[in-house]
Amino acid sequence: MNLSASSNPSETFYAEWQSTLSFLQDVMDILLQYLVTNFDRSTKVIDFHYPNELLQEYNWDLADQPQTLEEILSNCRIALKYAIKTGHPRYFNQLSTGLDMVGLAADWLTSTANTNMFTYEIAPVFVLLEYVTLRKMREIIGWPGGAGDGIFSPGGAISNMYAMLIARFKMFPEVKEKGMAAIPRLVAFTSEHSHFSVKKGAAALGIGTDSVILIRCDDRKFSPLEHFPVVFVVVSSLQGFVPFLVSATAGTTVYGAFDPLIAIADICKKYKIWMHVDGAWGGGLLMSRKHKWKLNGVERANSVTWNPHKMMGVPLQCSALLVREEGLMQSCNQMHASYLFQQDKHYDLSYDTGDKALQCGRHVDVFKLWLMWRAKGTVGFEAHIDKCLELAEYLYNKIKNREGFELVIEGKPQHTNVCFWYVPPSLRNMEDNEERMNRLSKVAPVIKARMMEYGTTMVSYQPLGDKVNFFRMVISNPAAAHQDIDFLIEEIERLGQDL
């Protein structure tokens, strides 16, 4: 029968729907098979191919005519075949790793609902869950009764930019209508180990990267802290310069270091300046009774960035910006678009949250976190975080006296970041001079390339300041275990012995 020519529309719909259901079931089978391999230590973390190889091996071009469903399924298999298994117990490359099944289910559900977060009328449950979850996060930060405001944004960089935007508006509300030309030259302060997004936000907002003053650090925090007020006063006294924000970091990207928040809060209070805490990486430690002391003073911040998609293992993306003063985000960002935010709706308009966001269209990010929190409880997140920090300490203890390994920072890690060099046998007896440093700088990139080509594991590396390329090991995947740490150490030795 030619279904398209059928005189019975119900018959046509039923046949097409059966075909769709069969397709979706096949897609689900592909996904479930991938999930099994994702946690299997005997499988590769990555099936690495160079870009030109993948471009030549498959036809990726977009055509005028549709493909068959079988070809679409083949596309799905190929995409996952070459995807990095970020949930693999031996994937340590980024701050966001692991794959939580409840979070994954929530992601599937929100994609099925396919709605937008700007008004209660089109996302009633999700808007309420965002309200409840942000309030709980503010309670954990230490703001009385969870008072304040907040929003889930596309990532920590945007959350940090929101903080800068709101801090500027708080000091000079006229900037919203009149622009930067109407206000003095602004300057912000942050540590030299802070995330690049602080400067990027300054560039995007027209403040300028030169207006971000970097405070010298030791390997772990703002230091020497006693110099900060001097720098502050000197910069403040320059004609036309007005300090408006200090961005402290709770868990730096490379070292996992925590700035001294109490001391910074004292300075911000004294000089009446906005205190932001970038806890994108370290904010998750607030869930742990054992480790939350590292963020002592965070409750005195005006705003906090906290990325549950990092240390808490929520599927990407899930980043929150929390603000202590209620209503400030709305005043800063609202544009009163009458086709979305009508003032004569029949429900409480405070739940139409879209006008406090920079975005119009906004993805439902909260449901993953909320559903995981329901499934795990706070104690489940605490166990996850405590385990990852214990694994970092295990790695530190394994390599601190091991031949061929040199720690970049002495002492136990503050977070799960463990930074180290692998020194091949050929370099171990060399004098510590420029030639040795040049040769050592090439070791980590070669080992990393070999890791990817073998597909056995992945761990990041980078230089920093005067330190040549070193490995930055980070752990946020609850599926990782001692055996995976042991494997990583032995694999680095295997792949680097001949260098």
Side-chain angles (χ1 to χ4, degrees):
M1 177 188 293
N2 182 353
L3 292 174
S4 61
S6 171
S7 59
N8 188 337
S10 297
E11 202 174 288
T12 302
F13 172 80
Y14 180 77
E16 291 178 346
W17 181 240
Q18 287 300 112
S19 176
T20 300
L21 287 178
S22 177
F23 167 73
L24 290 175
Q25 185 60 60
D26 288 340
V27 171
M28 187 60 66
D29 289 343
I30 292 170
L31 294 176
L32 293 177
Q33 289 167 16
Y34 177 78
L35 289 178
V36 171
T37 64
N38 210 55
F39 298 101
D40 184 354
R41 288 178 172 84
S42 68
T43 63
K44 289 184 174 184
V45 173
I46 175 177
D47 183 358
F48 179 77
H49 285 64
Y50 288 96
N52 62 316
E53 293 175 335
L54 281 181
L55 285 171
Q56 292 169 12
E57 190 167 347
Y58 298 99
N59 177 15
W60 306 98
D61 293 335
L62 297 169
D64 293 335
Q65 298 302 315
Q67 288 187 310
T68 66
L69 290 184
E70 207 40 63
E71 289 172 318
I72 297 298
L73 290 172
S74 176
N75 296 155
C76 294
R77 293 188 188 96
I78 292 167
L80 286 180
K81 173 178 170 58
Y82 298 106
I84 288 78
K85 295 185 178 74
T86 56
H88 197 288
R90 291 173 181 169
Y91 175 80
F92 304 107
N93 206 66
Q94 311 301 141
L95 302 182
S96 51
T97 64
L99 184 57
D100 185 271
M101 294 299 99
V102 173
L104 177 63
D107 218 1
W108 288 347
L109 187 147
T110 53
S111 292
T112 302
N114 192 32
T115 192
N116 202 317
M117 284 293 288
F118 45 55
T119 61
Y120 177 84
E121 68 181 89
I122 62 166
V125 173
F126 297 135
V127 164
L128 292 179
L129 295 184
E130 184 172 69
Y131 169 79
V132 168
T133 305
L134 289 172
R135 183 181 62 191
K136 181 67 173 178
M137 294 173 79
R138 293 192 298 266
E139 285 178 5
I140 290 171
I141 286 171
W143 295 336
D149 208 339
I151 201 165
F152 283 92
S153 83
I158 302 300
S159 292
N160 288 340
M161 187 175 75
Y162 264 122
M164 191 171 283
L165 177 72
I166 297 164
R168 182 179 66 178
F169 176 81
K170 174 70 174 177
M171 185 172 283
F172 295 104
E174 63 270 27
V175 74
K176 181 176 177 179
E177 288 81 22
K178 296 181 170 56
M180 289 293 292
I183 66 173
R185 173 80 179 269
L186 302 179
V187 289
F189 298 85
T190 191
S191 84
E192 63 181 349
H193 290 169
S194 64
H195 195 261
F196 69 85
S197 59
V198 179
K199 281 198 165 188
K200 182 170 279 192
L205 295 175
I207 295 166
T209 59
D210 286 349
S211 295
V212 177
I213 309 301
L214 301 181
I215 304 299
R216 284 197 314 115
C217 293
D218 63 12
D219 285 338
R220 292 183 175 273
K221 54 183 177 290
F222 266 136
S223 181
L225 185 68
E226 62 270 17
H227 292 175
F228 177 64
V230 176
V231 173
F232 187 94
V233 171
V234 169
V235 171
S236 300
S237 67
L238 296 175
Q239 186 176 6
F241 283 68
V242 176
F244 81 109
L245 172 138
V246 173
S247 181
T249 310
T252 57
T253 302
V254 177
Y255 291 146
F258 290 79
D259 286 340
L261 302 184
I262 293 174
I264 293 168
D266 289 341
I267 292 168
C268 290
K269 180 180 179 181
K270 178 178 179 180
Y271 292 99
K272 296 181 174 59
I273 189 170
W274 185 282
M275 177 183 173
H276 175 63
V277 174
D278 178 4
W281 175 222
L285 271 61
L286 289 168
M287 307 293 281
S288 166
R289 286 167 290 184
K290 183 177 179 180
H291 295 286
K292 66 181 181 180
W293 64 268
K294 297 168 187 175
L295 289 96
N296 283 351
V298 69
E299 72 282 356
R300 296 175 62 186
N302 298 97
S303 57
V304 177
T305 292
W306 179 352
N307 285 11
H309 70 228
K310 290 181 177 172
M311 198 62 217
M312 293 168 66
V314 177
L316 285 160
Q317 63 193 19
C318 188
S319 173
L321 184 277
L322 297 311
V323 181
R324 190 167 63 187
E325 183 177 335
E326 188 172 0
L328 193 57
M329 287 192 77
Q330 186 83 5
S331 299
C332 179
N333 295 318
Q334 66 184 352
M335 289 295 156
H336 305 288
S338 60
Y339 50 84
L340 278 180
F341 308 114
Q342 302 92 336
Q343 297 304 295
D344 52 358
K345 292 181 180 180
H346 61 291
Y347 58 80
D348 184 349
L349 296 179
S350 68
Y351 292 104
D352 280 2
T353 57
D355 214 10
K356 67 182 178 184
L358 288 176
Q359 303 162 259
C360 181
R362 191 159 64 90
H363 188 261
V364 178
D365 293 329
V366 66
F367 192 60
K368 295 170 289 190
L369 172 58
W370 181 86
L371 200 64
M372 284 177 63
W373 211 322
R374 297 278 282 195
K376 295 163 74 82
T378 305
V379 294
F381 281 122
E382 178 180 47
H384 166 176
I385 288 159
D386 288 351
K387 177 187 176 183
C388 290
L389 274 110
E390 185 277 325
L391 285 174
E393 188 170 340
Y394 176 80
L395 170 61
Y396 163 78
N397 288 329
K398 290 277 289 188
I399 66 174
K400 66 180 179 181
N401 296 315
R402 191 182 183 100
E403 185 179 14
F405 289 83
E406 293 181 10
L407 289 164
V408 176
I409 302 172
E410 295 300 325
K412 292 181 181 179
Q414 292 180 295
H415 204 341
T416 70
N417 308 52
V418 181
C419 300
F420 60 90
W421 290 282
Y422 174 69
V423 184
S426 66
L427 301 183
R428 290 175 195 171
N429 296 319
M430 277 189 69
E431 184 181 348
D432 190 7
N433 54 26
E434 186 176 350
E435 181 188 353
R436 184 180 186 271
M437 287 297 101
N438 287 337
R439 290 179 61 181
L440 184 59
S441 71
K442 298 176 174 63
V443 171
V446 172
I447 293 176
K448 173 67 176 289
R450 291 176 177 179
M451 281 179 181
M452 294 180 68
E453 287 166 357
Y454 281 104
T456 51
T457 186
M458 285 180 69
V459 61
S460 184
Y461 73 86
Q462 69 283 301
L464 188 64
D466 61 352
K467 297 175 174 64
V468 299
N469 284 322
F470 56 86
F471 287 111
R472 179 203 61 168
M473 175 69 173
V474 287
I475 306 166
S476 58
N477 186 354
H482 287 174
Q483 70 184 91
D484 303 305
I485 304 301
D486 294 340
F487 176 86
L488 174 74
I489 294 169
E490 293 165 7
E491 188 69 351
I492 287 173
E493 290 174 331
R494 181 181 78 87
L495 297 174
Q497 280 289 316
D498 64 334
L499 297 178

